[in-house]
């Protein structure tokens, strides 16, 4: 299943962000620590590189992510030019309090009364951007909700007299190239429910957990995972929780929802859906697939051209 979700307000938000980027000194991109690259919006990278703006990459929700994997991602981003990574959770005020100084270190020429530091905060839906804004300002200025795309309008706020924050709506991008990215985003509640089928997302998540965190499935649901596939995991949850439909069949939908909620809430444990190594493998595989598509298209075009030429000679 290829998941795509790009409501109309996101296109408007993208155009507005492009306009505002010209008058921005620094971009703070908030990503989900459990899936940092899958939750990176390529449009954000495109906009900031065009304007040559540095980026503070905030890996949020570290309390839900595998700490060893998060450390690997921080090293991965810190090795990139113009990028500084910071792993944190908005649940810890002391971690939030470090952000202004980190931002100022990336734009040392700004942050004085005559030249205030202008920071644009960006990120995908439901990644914790609004919660971060409220925590930074120590008051409720952004609407927060456990649903994607709660914020729909850009707003400008003052962190202090020398620092301006530009809050932008959560944005995805028009076409998610990697199907697994769409599924990871859906599992992590960054995509609207109308754009996905929970049962398919749950089976994908179960397959991933079987490969990386089978012990967490056993600890949470009490069954052994040997020789299981994703469907069997969801059915196992239904059996353990006594989720049955009329007639006695497993309630696959309810069990799927339970697995997704347990992952999203952290009830399953600290889980990362991707690592720098698995990301590199995935991208290499995708690139090879694209090359093969181009090769096949070229062969098909050549065959059609040859057939057309033969047809002309025949007449």
């Amino acid at each position: 299943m290829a998941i795509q979700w790009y409501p109309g307000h996101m296109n408007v938000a993208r155009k507005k962000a492009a306009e505002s980027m010209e008058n921005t000194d620094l971009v703070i991109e908030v990503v989900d620590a459990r899936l940092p690259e899958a939750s990176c919006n390529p449009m954000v990278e495109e906009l900031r590189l065009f304007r040559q703006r540095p980026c503070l990459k905030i890996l949020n929700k570290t309390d839900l992510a595998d700490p060893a994997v998060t450390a690997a991602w921080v090293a991965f981003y810190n090795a990139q030019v113009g990028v500084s990574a910071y792993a944190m959770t908005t649940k810890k005020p002391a971690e939030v309090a470090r952000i202004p100084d980190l931002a100022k270190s990336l734009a040392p020429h700004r942050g004085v009364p005559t030249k205030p530091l202008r920071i644009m905060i960006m990120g995908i839906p439901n990644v914790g951007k609004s919660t971060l804004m409220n925590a930074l300002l120590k008051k409720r200025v952004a609407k927060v909700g456990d649903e994607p795309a709660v914020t729909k309008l850009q707003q400008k706020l003052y962190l202090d007299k020398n620092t301006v924050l530009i809050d932008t709506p959560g944005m995805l991008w028009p076409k998610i190239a990697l199907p697994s990215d769409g599924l990871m985003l859906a599992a992590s509640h960054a995509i609207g429910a109308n754009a996905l089928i929970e049962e398919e997302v749950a089976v994908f998540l179960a397959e991933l957990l079987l490969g990386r965190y089978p012990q967490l499935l056993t600890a949470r649901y009490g069954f052994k995972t040997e020789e299981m596939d994703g469907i069997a995991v969801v059915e196992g949850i239904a059996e353990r929780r006594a989720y049955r439909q009329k007639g006695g069949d497993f309630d696959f939908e309810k069990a799927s929802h339970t697995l997704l909620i347990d992952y999203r809430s952290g009830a399953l444990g600290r889980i990362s859906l991707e690592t720098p190594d698995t990301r590199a493998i995935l991208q290499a595989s995708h690139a090879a697939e694209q090359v093969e598509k181009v090769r096949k298209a070229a062969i098909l075009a050549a065959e059609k051209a040859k057939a057309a030429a033969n047809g002309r000679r025949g007449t």
Side-chain angles (χ1 to χ4, degrees):
M1 176 181 64
I3 293 176
Q4 306 293 340
W5 189 54
Y6 194 63
H9 78 273
M10 290 188 185
N11 190 42
V12 175
R14 192 261 182 213
K15 292 178 180 178
K16 183 64 177 176
E19 294 171 3
S20 300
M21 187 71 73
E22 182 179 1
N23 298 312
T24 297
D25 305 301
L26 167 71
V27 173
I28 289 180
E29 184 180 14
V30 185
V31 301
D32 191 323
R34 298 168 296 179
L35 53 152
E37 277 294 277
S39 60
C40 278
N41 187 335
M43 293 194 302
V44 172
E45 191 75 353
E46 175 188 333
L47 291 173
R48 78 167 190 87
L49 288 178
F50 178 75
R51 293 294 179 183
Q52 298 182 323
R53 302 297 189 251
C55 178
L56 176 59
K57 188 91 67 172
I58 292 183
L59 282 68
N60 191 28
K61 304 186 181 183
T62 52
D63 54 313
L64 301 176
D66 184 326
V69 176
T70 298
W73 278 116
V74 169
F76 172 84
Y77 288 121
N78 281 336
Q80 297 179 4
V81 177
V83 178
S84 181
Y86 178 49
M88 55 153 285
T89 171
T90 53
K91 294 177 181 178
K92 294 184 178 180
E95 294 184 357
V96 174
R98 288 194 60 204
I99 292 175
D101 287 341
L102 291 171
K104 290 172 185 175
S105 70
L106 291 174
H109 59 293
R110 308 289 302 195
V112 294
T114 55
K115 291 183 177 181
L117 176 60
R118 301 162 299 180
I119 303 171
M120 181 176 285
I121 300 184
M122 308 183 79
I124 66 168
N126 211 27
V127 78
K129 188 168 55 63
S130 294
T131 302
L132 177 63
M133 285 287 296
N134 293 340
L136 280 169
L137 293 160
K138 298 180 181 177
K139 59 183 178 180
R140 188 182 178 88
V141 295
K143 187 177 179 181
V144 177
D146 188 26
E147 286 295 332
V150 170
T151 303
K152 289 185 170 63
L153 297 173
Q154 189 178 105
Q155 59 178 333
K156 184 182 291 186
L157 301 153
Y158 284 83
L159 181 60
D160 55 49
K161 63 181 180 180
N162 299 329
T163 310
V164 181
L165 302 178
I166 302 167
D167 184 26
T168 61
M171 294 188 298
L172 287 172
W173 48 105
K175 183 174 175 57
I176 300 172
L178 301 175
S180 60
D181 281 359
L183 289 162
M184 283 191 280
L185 289 167
S188 303
H189 213 196
I191 289 177
N194 61 331
L196 57 93
I197 300 172
E198 275 200 339
E199 293 91 322
E200 294 186 23
V201 177
V203 169
F204 165 82
L205 177 62
E207 292 278 4
L208 192 151
L209 295 174
L210 283 171
R212 299 183 197 167
Y213 301 97
Q215 74 282 4
L216 297 182
L217 289 170
T218 300
R220 179 66 178 171
Y221 304 116
F223 51 68
K224 294 182 179 180
T225 60
E226 288 82 358
E227 300 183 5
M228 271 189 165
D229 61 10
I231 292 174
V233 168
V234 178
E235 289 178 343
I237 294 171
E239 183 176 16
R240 287 285 176 162
R241 298 292 174 87
Y243 295 158
R244 298 275 182 178
Q245 297 176 329
K246 290 181 179 179
D249 292 338
F250 291 134
D251 191 333
F252 203 83
E253 180 180 356
K254 189 172 183 179
S256 295
H257 186 70
T258 292
L259 176 61
L260 292 173
I261 292 298
D262 283 352
Y263 158 68
R264 292 167 182 170
S265 67
L268 266 173
R270 299 179 69 173
I271 291 167
S272 292
L273 300 186
E274 59 177 355
T275 71
D277 288 342
T278 62
R279 189 71 187 183
I281 293 169
L282 181 64
Q283 289 178 320
S285 176
H286 179 68
E289 289 175 2
Q290 296 306 109
V291 169
E292 182 62 14
K293 284 182 180 179
V294 171
R295 187 186 71 82
K296 288 181 177 179
I299 291 172
L300 182 60
E303 289 175 347
K304 287 183 177 179
K306 183 177 179 180
N310 289 337
R312 287 193 295 270
R313 282 196 294 270
T315 59

